[in-house]
């Protein structure tokens, strides 16, 4: 088993294969979407650039290689998760249904599809299409037992009963999350909102649980785990992103330490 509370400079599949089977409580990941193009425009700061220029070579794959990569991630996630463990993965809109189908074929049970919605989506440069205002994240569970139901056409939705699901509130557990773009913690071009990742961690794990992210990028998952008292093992093949993520975790460690110190001082003052 790999040492936890570490961000490793390592390929996603190589890293996952080093983790023992049935030892992980939660997997959260935001892999490449394979949609970077020289003909599609996004904003980098206040400057319009191609998505290829903004995201780089790491988001460009041959379609066959891309499907192979993500299907390997799904298979390895299933292997390392404990029975009842949860798996959240972001995908491009056009691929969401395909990879859900692949995950279910490998044994996962689909629980819900979540959407993160941009309150201020980028403008349409060409004005020839709808503006892109949301991203999708699949939520699946590794069942805790084999299906023994004899019903014809069983959907297997009754499986996975051992899963952790800490229901926060009716409002916080709606499967749509709104956030403003432009507020980021790092320079990573596809950073996800930390408040959303923290919500996934709170809902689908408990303090001390082990969380894995094989495409940690700017370190959002690791930062959320550090803040919320979960153990984590994270990977990224990009050395710059690994350093970025490690610096982010150090910053969170300082925040948590300062908050703890201030709390102790406050309690000491109240007791005098």
């Amino acid at each position: 088993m790999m040492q936890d509370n570490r961000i490793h400079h390592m390929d996603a599949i190589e890293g996952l294969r080093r983790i023992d089977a049935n030892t992980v409580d939660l997997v959260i990941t935001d892999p490449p979407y394979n949609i970077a193009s020289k003909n599609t425009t996004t904003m980098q700061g206040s400057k319009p650039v191609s998505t290829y220029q903004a995201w780089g070579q790491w988001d460009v794959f041959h379609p066959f290689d891309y499907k192979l990569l993500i299907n390997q991630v799904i298979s390895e996630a299933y292997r390392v998760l404990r029975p009842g463990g949860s798996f959240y993965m972001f995908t491009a809109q056009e691929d969401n249904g395909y990879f859900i189908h692949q995950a279910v074929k490998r044994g996962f049970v689909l629980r819900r599809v979540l959407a993160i919605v941009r309150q201020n989506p980028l403008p349409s440069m060409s004005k020839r299409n709808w503006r892109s205002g949301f991203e999708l994240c699949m939520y699946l569970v590794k069942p805790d037992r084999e299906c023994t139901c004899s019903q014809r056409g069983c959907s297997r939705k009754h499986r996975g009963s051992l899963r952790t699901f800490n229901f926060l509130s009716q409002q916080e557990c709606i499967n749509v999350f709104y956030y403003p773009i432009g507020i980021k913690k790092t320079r990573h071009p596809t950073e996800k909102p930390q408040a959303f990742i923290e919500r996934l961690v709170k809902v689908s794990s408990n303090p001390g649980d082990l969380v894995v992210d094989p495409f940690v990028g700017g370190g959002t998952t690791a930062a959320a785990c550090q803040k919320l008292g979960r153990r984590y093992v994270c990977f990224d093949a990009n050395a710059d992103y690994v350093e970025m993520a490690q610096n982010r975790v150090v910053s969170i460690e300082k925040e948590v330490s300062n908050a703890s110190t201030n709390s102790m001082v406050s309690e000491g003052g109240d007791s005098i």
Side-chain angles (χ1 to χ4, degrees):
M1 183 67 184
M2 302 191 72
Q3 187 175 6
D4 57 26
N5 295 335
R6 293 288 185 275
I7 298 169
H8 303 271
H9 181 207
M10 191 176 297
D11 172 79
I13 304 303
E14 179 187 354
L16 285 168
R17 286 175 175 166
R18 295 191 183 191
I19 298 175
D20 295 338
N22 303 309
T23 58
V24 174
D25 299 286
L26 171 62
V27 176
I28 301 175
T29 198
D30 178 26
Y33 286 4
N34 197 32
I35 58 174
S37 169
K38 295 180 180 179
N39 300 316
T40 306
T41 303
T42 187
M43 298 295 291
Q44 197 168 55
S46 58
K47 179 183 177 183
V49 298
S50 72
T51 52
Y52 179 85
Q53 183 179 346
W55 301 336
Q57 186 64 35
W58 59 261
D59 196 54
V60 178
F61 297 83
H62 185 281
F64 177 85
D65 294 333
Y66 179 68
K67 288 182 178 180
L68 178 63
L69 169 66
I70 303 304
N71 284 331
Q72 286 179 310
V73 169
I74 293 170
S75 295
E76 286 299 314
Y78 189 89
R79 183 186 64 82
V80 303
L81 279 168
R82 300 180 189 276
S86 296
F87 178 40
Y88 292 90
M89 186 174 75
F90 291 89
T91 68
Q93 296 171 22
E94 58 267 36
D95 288 331
N96 190 256
Y98 170 78
F99 286 124
I100 287 174
H101 179 67
Q102 294 300 314
V104 170
K105 281 174 58 177
R106 284 159 173 77
F108 278 108
V109 176
L110 175 66
R111 297 298 302 172
R112 193 71 71 199
V113 176
L114 288 68
I116 58 171
V117 181
R118 306 177 186 98
Q119 294 172 321
N120 52 337
L122 295 175
S124 173
M125 304 301 177
S126 66
K127 298 182 179 179
R128 295 179 179 178
N129 202 350
W130 298 94
R131 295 164 68 191
S132 178
F134 68 92
E135 291 181 69
L136 297 176
C137 177
M138 62 179 75
Y139 163 44
L140 305 110
V141 172
K142 178 176 179 176
D144 62 316
R145 62 184 182 275
E146 290 301 318
C147 177
T148 58
C149 178
S150 59
Q151 279 188 312
R152 175 182 254 177
C154 170
S155 66
R156 301 184 295 180
K157 287 184 179 179
H158 59 283
R159 303 196 308 173
S161 58
L162 291 182
R163 74 185 187 282
T164 295
F165 196 90
N166 302 312
F167 194 88
L168 303 178
S169 70
Q170 296 293 341
Q171 184 62 37
E172 289 175 292
C173 287
I174 298 173
N175 67 333
V176 177
F177 179 90
Y178 294 89
Y179 75 104
I181 63 172
I183 301 175
K184 297 175 61 177
K185 304 290 187 181
T186 71
R187 295 177 288 100
H188 193 281
T190 61
E191 179 184 300
K192 296 299 181 285
Q194 183 164 327
F196 179 69
I197 302 301
E198 286 182 11
R199 189 171 298 182
L200 302 185
V201 171
K202 288 178 184 177
V203 166
S204 291
S205 70
N206 297 304
D209 280 357
L210 179 60
V211 182
V212 166
D213 186 346
F215 298 95
V216 75
T220 307
T221 300
C225 291
Q226 183 69 37
K227 181 177 178 180
L228 298 171
R230 274 65 166 174
R231 297 176 296 128
Y232 61 87
V233 174
C234 299
F235 314 104
D236 207 285
N238 185 307
D240 290 339
Y241 293 160
V242 169
E243 182 179 3
M244 191 184 298
Q246 289 171 338
N247 291 337
R248 187 171 178 185
V249 168
V250 169
S251 177
I252 291 290
E253 286 176 344
K254 291 178 180 177
E255 288 181 22
V256 172
S257 176
N258 290 339
S260 177
T261 300
N262 292 338
S263 176
M264 291 173 63
V265 170
S266 176
E267 290 175 4
D270 291 343
S271 65
I272 295 175

